[in-house]
Amino acid sequence: MTWNELTPEEKHVIENKGTERPFTGEYDNFYKPGIYVCRRCDNPLYSSKTKFDAGCGWPAFDDHFVESVKEIPDPDGSRTEIECAKCGGHFGHIFVGEMLTDKNTRHCVNSLSIKFVPETTS
């Protein structure tokens, strides 16, 4: 499988399960129409319609495209990691039960793990 070239910072997050500092990512306070794809393999992940301001310092989404994201419980059971269902790249974690949206789910995603593709108008 051919993947996109990554910067050292992107590799740290995507391949080594790192985390970018809160409130520093390019998509934390970004709300344009379009979709977000995996930065490593371009797998479509999230619609901008599911993005919301959780105030947590990272982009937050309350839904994802079907079969685009894989959920993996952390070994200690305290959190659930989310990664790309296509390439296995690390995105962040999913949290349920915070009552921030009607769906009661928050995908807390590192900006370095995703790319924005703007909505095209015909």
Side-chain angles (χ1 to χ4, degrees):
M1 178 181 288
T2 304
W3 292 335
N4 299 317
E5 191 169 326
L6 301 174
T7 66
E9 294 83 10
E10 293 164 352
K11 283 183 180 183
H12 172 69
V13 171
I14 295 169
E15 296 177 1
N16 300 322
K17 302 181 188 291
T19 303
E20 64 194 2
R21 289 190 7 246
F23 304 103
T24 62
E26 69 179 307
Y27 301 126
D28 178 37
N29 191 23
F30 181 90
Y31 296 95
K32 294 184 179 176
I35 64 167
Y36 295 85
V37 300
C38 175
R39 193 173 293 264
R40 182 159 71 170
C41 73
D42 295 327
N43 183 28
L45 306 167
Y46 303 101
S47 165
S48 61
K49 294 174 182 157
T50 67
K51 190 171 186 303
F52 68 99
D53 183 6
C56 62
W58 293 275
F61 303 86
D62 70 355
D63 205 356
H64 58 88
F65 295 129
V66 175
E67 298 182 8
S68 64
V69 174
K70 193 161 59 170
E71 298 179 18
I72 302 159
D74 282 354
D76 66 4
S78 64
R79 300 185 302 177
T80 300
E81 178 189 0
I82 49 176
E83 65 178 38
C84 180
K86 184 175 175 183
C87 73
H90 174 76
F91 298 138
H93 290 84
I94 185 171
F95 301 93
V96 178
E98 298 175 320
M99 303 304 292
L100 297 174
T101 70
D102 290 341
K103 293 186 179 178
N104 203 19
T105 300
R106 174 172 60 100
H107 286 236
C108 185
V109 179
N110 290 284
S111 289
L112 290 170
S113 296
I114 56 177
K115 286 190 301 190
F116 177 73
V117 179
E119 190 175 276
T120 57
T121 54
S122 325

